[in-house]
């Protein structure tokens, strides 16, 4: 296995820090802390470069808050934009290509060129082998991010591909800033992906699993043999506990996919067709209702972004009838009016051209 050295000088390079600052501020240029750095960019980046060069960079204190989702609450960790988020982007600019090459093809979370829709296309391809995918083993990791062992990540996982001691020291500073991986930290998603990469290869190379897909800690295995999947369930739980000190949630399932659809990647995969998951459809309906009632007060770009975001979801499912039911002529005329009044392009015109 090839390991990479001499990475730290690339991370601390001034041009890389400038690129990291450019990437980190996307969608955040209106933040006061971003504007503060932009006002004296050269001064701030030069100071950050000195911190990295003399190895004095320290992870800042986290600000934490509770985010309430549809199904559960999450403790979110937030770091200052400067210097932390810029440093994290600087690390990703250099290390992400190395890390991504070490991963299997069918893991999709937080990777360039991949993602939910890439996963959907791949997963539909799996299901084309109907006899070979009759049974589904679906499971996810219990309390994944908080349960990640920092010592395993820093001492085993990260050195698998990186031998540069300065880079590893910088990564350790981030890894040991909390117990487990902090949700909201820019590097947490790639670290989480890396943490399960040895398990991915164990499943593919040792267990010879052909149809295996993972999105973060949500994992699906497809096979023709139910008994084999039952044996595999025991093997996976044992391997994860012994090697990564992780446990599987108690709601893991093995079931025939022709009798029950597979809920994965935000979609429901049935035999021969695909639906958008119910909670996403519910949110879509609420958003449409908000647009109908408040379109005069809502920012134009927010209306357009909302519709196109959901169009991206519906495009990969058999949901054209549902889309047309709610994005009806009234909504389309409303969007066209507000776009024309504000001199903006209306992307819905392309959909209905």
């Amino acid at each position: 296995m090839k390991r990479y050295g001499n990475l730290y000088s690339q991370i601390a390079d001034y041009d890389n820090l400038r690129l990291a600052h450019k990437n980190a501020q996307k969608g955040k240029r209106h933040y006061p802390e971003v504007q503060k750095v932009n006002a004296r960019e050269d001064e701030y980046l030069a100071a950050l470069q000195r911190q990295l060069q003399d190895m004095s960079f320290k992870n800042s204190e986290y600000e934490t808050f509770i985010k309430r989702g549809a199904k559960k609450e999450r403790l979110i960790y937030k770091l200052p934009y400067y210097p932390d988020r810029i440093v994290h982007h600087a690390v990703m600019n250099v290390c992400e290509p190395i890390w991504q090459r070490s991963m299997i093809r069918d893991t999709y979370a937080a990777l360039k060129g991949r993602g939910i829709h890439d996963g959907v296309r791949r997963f539909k391809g799996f299901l084309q082998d109907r006899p070979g995918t009759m049974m589904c083993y679906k499971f996810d990791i219990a309390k994944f991010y908080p349960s990640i062992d920092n010592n395993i990540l820093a001492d085993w996982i990260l050195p698998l591909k990186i031998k540069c001691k300065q880079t590893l020291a910088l990564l350790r500073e981030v890894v040991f800033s909390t117990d487990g991986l902090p949700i909201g930290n820019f590097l947490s998603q790639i670290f989480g992906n890396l943490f399960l990469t040895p398990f991915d290869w164990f499943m593919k190379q040792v267990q010879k699993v052909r149809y295996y897909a993972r999105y973060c800690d949500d994992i699906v295995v497809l096979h023709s043999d139910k008994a084999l999947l039952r044996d595999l369930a025991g093997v996976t739980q044992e391997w994860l506990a012994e090697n990564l000190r992780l446990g599987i949630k108690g709601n893991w399932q093995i079931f025939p996919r022709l009798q029950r659809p597979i809920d994965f990647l935000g979609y429901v995969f049935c035999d021969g067709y695909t639906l958008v998951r119910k909670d996403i459809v519910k949110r879509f309906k609420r958003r449409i209702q908000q647009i109908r009632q408040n379109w005069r007060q809502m920012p134009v770009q927010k209306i357009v972004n909302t519709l196109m975001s959901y169009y991206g979801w519906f495009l990969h499912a058999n949901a054209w009838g549902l889309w047309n039911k709610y994005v009806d002529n009234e909504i389309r005329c409303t969007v066209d009016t507000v776009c024309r009044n504000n001199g903006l392009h209306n992307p819905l015109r392309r959909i209905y051209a």
Side-chain angles (χ1 to χ4, degrees):
M1 179 183 293
K2 183 176 180 180
R3 299 171 70 226
Y4 293 81
N6 302 315
L7 301 176
Y8 195 75
S9 59
Q10 299 177 47
I11 294 172
D13 180 76
Y14 189 85
D15 288 337
N16 184 51
L17 295 180
R18 186 184 294 276
L19 176 61
H21 169 49
K22 178 182 177 182
N23 292 338
Q25 65 180 295
K26 290 179 180 177
K28 302 179 176 67
R29 292 179 65 89
H30 60 288
Y31 287 14
E33 55 184 338
V34 176
Q35 293 175 354
K36 182 180 177 181
V37 176
N38 282 334
R40 297 157 60 190
E41 179 179 309
D42 290 336
E43 181 180 337
Y44 275 102
L45 294 183
L48 177 55
Q49 185 182 40
R50 288 193 295 272
Q51 286 185 48
L52 292 172
Q53 289 174 337
D54 61 23
M55 302 291 291
S56 64
F57 170 81
K58 297 296 180 185
N59 198 84
S60 301
E61 291 293 323
Y62 287 101
E63 174 188 340
T64 61
F65 59 92
I66 300 293
K67 184 175 182 180
R68 291 173 175 81
K71 296 183 179 179
K72 57 184 174 181
E73 295 181 347
R74 295 182 184 275
L75 179 63
I76 305 298
Y77 292 76
K78 182 181 178 182
L79 283 170
Y81 176 80
Y82 180 92
D84 300 83
R85 289 191 67 84
I86 296 177
V87 169
H88 291 189
H89 277 268
V91 169
M92 286 290 281
N93 290 344
V94 175
C95 296
E96 184 180 27
I98 295 170
W99 287 330
Q100 185 160 337
R101 285 194 294 270
S102 72
M103 298 176 189
I104 66 167
R105 176 62 182 87
D106 288 297
T107 179
Y108 313 114
L111 296 175
K112 287 182 178 179
R114 305 190 202 176
I116 288 176
H117 295 150
D118 175 68
V120 169
R121 286 189 291 268
R122 298 276 299 178
F123 201 73
K124 286 180 178 178
F126 292 176
L127 299 179
Q128 293 300 308
D129 179 5
R130 201 163 184 263
T133 60
M134 297 295 285
M135 300 301 300
C136 175
Y137 170 34
K138 187 176 186 299
F139 63 98
D140 56 358
I141 308 299
K143 298 180 179 178
F144 178 53
Y145 281 102
S147 299
I148 285 179
D149 188 304
N150 300 115
N151 290 296
I152 293 176
L153 178 60
D155 298 336
W156 174 33
I157 304 296
L158 294 177
L160 283 174
K161 297 300 293 182
I162 295 176
K163 62 182 179 181
C164 174
K165 292 182 179 179
Q166 291 173 303
T167 301
L168 289 173
L170 176 62
L171 296 176
R172 288 178 69 89
E173 175 66 27
V174 178
V175 168
F176 286 102
S177 60
T178 60
D179 292 330
L181 288 181
I183 298 174
N185 191 323
F186 182 66
L187 287 175
S188 289
Q189 283 190 307
I190 192 73
F191 283 167
N193 237 338
L194 285 168
F195 199 76
L196 285 175
T197 293
F199 176 70
D200 296 338
W201 286 112
F202 168 74
M203 295 291 279
K204 297 294 288 185
Q205 294 185 333
V206 179
Q207 296 301 314
K208 307 297 183 183
V209 174
R210 181 178 182 184
Y211 298 121
Y212 171 94
R214 177 170 69 83
Y215 186 86
C216 191
D217 66 320
D218 196 7
I219 300 169
V220 173
V221 181
L222 301 171
H223 202 273
S224 60
D225 190 338
K226 183 176 182 179
L228 184 145
L229 289 182
R230 285 196 173 277
D231 292 340
L232 187 64
V235 171
T236 56
Q237 293 177 45
E238 182 179 338
W239 193 96
L240 286 166
E242 289 184 359
N243 293 275
L244 298 179
R245 299 178 188 170
L246 294 174
I248 291 176
K249 284 184 182 178
N251 62 352
W252 61 273
Q253 307 161 44
I254 296 175
F255 56 90
R257 74 171 184 88
L258 298 187
Q259 296 179 18
R260 269 178 57 194
I262 302 170
D263 186 341
F264 185 51
L265 297 170
Y267 293 84
V268 178
F269 296 89
C270 306
D271 186 31
Y273 61 97
T274 305
L275 303 176
V276 180
R277 200 165 61 189
K278 284 185 179 179
D279 59 335
I280 296 173
V281 173
K282 287 180 180 179
R283 289 201 298 271
F284 166 70
K285 292 178 181 179
R286 286 199 299 268
R287 294 289 189 273
I288 294 297
Q289 188 63 26
Q290 290 170 3
I291 292 172
R292 288 187 194 279
Q293 295 174 350
N294 306 303
W295 64 270
R296 289 183 176 85
Q297 291 78 39
M298 292 177 68
V300 180
Q301 200 60 56
K302 182 177 180 180
I303 295 174
V304 172
N305 290 346
T306 296
L307 289 173
M308 297 312 296
S309 173
Y310 281 105
Y311 178 72
W313 281 100
F314 283 50
L315 185 63
H316 295 270
N318 299 92
W320 188 241
L322 181 64
W323 169 267
N324 277 328
K325 179 179 178 180
Y326 288 92
V327 185
D328 55 17
N329 190 60
E330 179 186 349
I331 288 288
R332 294 199 293 270
C333 289
T334 296
V335 174
D336 196 52
T337 298
V338 295
C339 286
R340 276 191 285 105
N341 290 345
N342 291 272
L344 295 176
H345 167 67
N346 179 7
L348 292 181
R349 288 184 178 178
R350 176 173 53 84
I351 297 174
Y352 293 96

